[in-house]
């Protein structure tokens, strides 16, 4: 586009939007030694776990009530190391992931195949599970299906308690950019299904409240997810905590999955 000025023709270029980086590069699918905007994935995950531990400390979690902190492998493991280092709770690996099958269990298009792949990967260490109170950190809780199966697996091996912490906030919107969550419908998400069960379609008018784990609606959603997935407890990283752990300007990070805002 051009316009005529006193000096002659001036070329006008359209405004260019600044590219935003998907936060899941750090929390989930980035390789540990990869770095984005100068922030290494592994270091970010340690920081994220530390902040999760600080949040639990503020809420009164007694370290004596947990036997081991563990990560859902592989991406949950460094989050758990950061949590263990801050909380003083012993880190352990109650099950090991066998990886020569699929590198990422969310990749298959079929839920049935995804679940089978996830099961094939889990190799238990019985003495670290039986009778233990475990706190697991996962990179995220998306549909909830695989996490429910993981918890069932741990309880079948005799776990006394299985507490879950998510390294990112509650996912409220399916990704429309990178298709990270592979959700064709927002109702595929465990959060949205539970919200509809609690309030019907009217609950969608209160997604901001449900995304806040300290609000009455957020607490109701967390309680319902715990009951549905057999968690002893559940808590999420806050959006502020996630941004802090990444350590770059919020305007450079895509947070659409949590806020629905571009």
């Amino acid at each position: 586009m051009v316009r005529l000025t006193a000096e002659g023709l001036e070329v006008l270029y359209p405004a260019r939007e600044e590219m935003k980086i998907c936060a899941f590069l750090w929390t989930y699918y980035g390789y540990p030694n990869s770095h984005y905007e100068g922030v290494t994935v592994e270091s970010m995950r340690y920081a994220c776990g530390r902040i999760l531990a600080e949040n639990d400390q503020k809420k009164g979690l007694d370290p004596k009530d947990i036997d081991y902190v563990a990560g859902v492998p592989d991406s949950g493991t460094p989050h758990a190391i950061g949590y263990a280092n801050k909380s003083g709770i012993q880190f352990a690996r109650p099950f090991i992931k066998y990886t020569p099958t699929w590198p990422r269990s969310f990749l298959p298009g079929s839920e049935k195949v995804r679940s089978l792949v996830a099961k094939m990967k889990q190799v238990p260490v019985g003495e670290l599970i039986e009778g233990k109170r475990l706190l697991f950190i996962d990179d995220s809780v998306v549909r909830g299906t695989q996490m429910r199966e993981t918890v069932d697996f741990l309880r079948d091996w005799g776990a006394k308690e299985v507490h879950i912490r998510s390294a990112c906030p509650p996912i409220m919107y399916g990704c429309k950019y990178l298709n990270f969550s592979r959700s064709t419908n927002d109702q595929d998400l465990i959060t949205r299904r539970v919200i509809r069960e609690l309030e019907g379609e009217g609950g969608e008018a209160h997604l901001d409240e449900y995304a806040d784990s300290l609000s009455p609606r957020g607490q109701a959603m967390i309680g319902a997810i715990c009951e549905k997935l057999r968690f002893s407890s559940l808590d999420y990283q806050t959006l502020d905590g996630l941004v802090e752990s990444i350590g770059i300007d919020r305007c450079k990070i895509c947070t659409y999955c949590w806020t629905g805002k571009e």
Side-chain angles (χ1 to χ4, degrees), residues 125-137:
V125 183
E127 66 187 78
L128 300 179
I129 302 175
E130 186 175 1
K132 304 302 183 190
R133 300 164 299 177
L134 305 173
L135 189 150
F136 269 87
I137 301 179

Side-chain angles (χ1 to χ4, degrees), residues 98-129:
Y98 178 75
T99 57
T101 51
W102 289 83
R104 292 296 194 187
S105 57
F106 81 94
L107 289 175
S110 162
E111 183 66 53
K112 183 177 180 180
V113 176
R114 285 195 296 267
S115 298
L116 177 61
V117 168
K119 288 179 180 178
M120 290 169 61
K121 290 181 175 183
Q122 296 174 347
V123 181
V125 183
E127 66 187 78
L128 300 179
I129 302 175

Side-chain angles (χ1 to χ4, degrees), residues 199-221:
E199 284 198 73
E201 293 184 5
E204 295 183 4
H206 305 286
L207 294 183
D208 287 348
E209 292 179 59
Y210 278 111
D212 179 2
S213 64
L214 297 179
S215 73
R217 280 190 166 95
Q219 286 292 301
M221 181 188 73

